[in-house]
Amino acid sequence: MDRINTIGRRKTAISRIYLSAGSGAISVNGKDYKQYFPTEVLQIILNQPFATVNGVGGYDVKVNVRGGGVAGQAEATRMAIARALVELNADFRPALKKEGFLTRDSRMVERKKYGRRKARRRFQFSKR
């Protein structure tokens, strides 16, 4: 099996991954994924596509991720891994699609408007 290169996005995070057959090593920006994503929830998010297709420990993943926060980066990486698994084996597609790993979550932070404190929050009203 050759290396498969895919991309995943979430909020402002962009994740590029290289998937190859191996022993299950996942490195994110040169670090082990457990060091880069210290919370268990983020580690579970990263492994969800493998768990869905019963491929935990069967692939090595090299991840380059930038932009956004850790949660957005984890979900962007999850999408990239799911896309790579579909490219590897098209039979994985229905299971991954059902879980929603192949759908780009298009929700972005709404911009701040002038005359407002945030995007929709108004300034505190003062009667006098």
Side-chain angles (χ1 to χ4, degrees):
M1 181 186 107
D2 206 32
R3 286 203 316 183
I4 294 174
N5 177 335
T6 55
I7 192 168
R9 293 186 183 93
R10 171 77 170 98
K11 292 186 179 179
T12 56
I14 300 170
S15 178
R16 296 171 297 150
I17 72 147
Y18 302 90
L19 185 97
S20 56
S23 58
I26 302 174
S27 72
V28 183
N29 292 351
K31 296 180 183 174
D32 182 56
Y33 82 104
K34 290 186 176 176
Q35 192 182 351
Y36 193 86
F37 296 114
T39 62
E40 197 178 332
V41 174
L42 297 175
Q43 292 170 19
I44 290 167
I45 285 172
L46 226 62
N47 282 309
Q48 278 177 328
F50 295 125
T52 306
V53 298
N54 301 320
V56 177
Y59 306 98
D60 284 346
V61 185
K62 183 180 180 293
V63 183
N64 292 317
V65 66
R66 55 181 2 165
V70 284
Q73 288 184 348
E75 290 180 30
T77 304
R78 175 178 72 184
M79 181 189 191
I81 291 169
R83 282 178 168 177
L85 289 170
V86 168
E87 207 173 299
L88 182 71
N89 185 349
D91 298 339
F92 293 155
R93 189 173 175 81
L96 292 168
K97 184 100 174 128
K98 185 173 177 278
E99 294 295 323
F101 300 151
L102 298 174
T103 308
R104 161 73 158 108
D105 190 343
S106 61
R107 294 177 296 172
M108 298 288 271
V109 175
E110 194 174 334
R111 79 171 201 89
K112 185 198 173 297
K113 318 302 189 295
Y114 55 85
R116 298 278 171 103
R117 201 171 81 195
K118 291 168 67 181
R120 298 187 180 197
R121 173 79 166 97
R122 295 200 162 107
F123 291 117
Q124 185 171 333
F125 177 72
S126 173
K127 202 166 192 176
R128 284 174 192 69

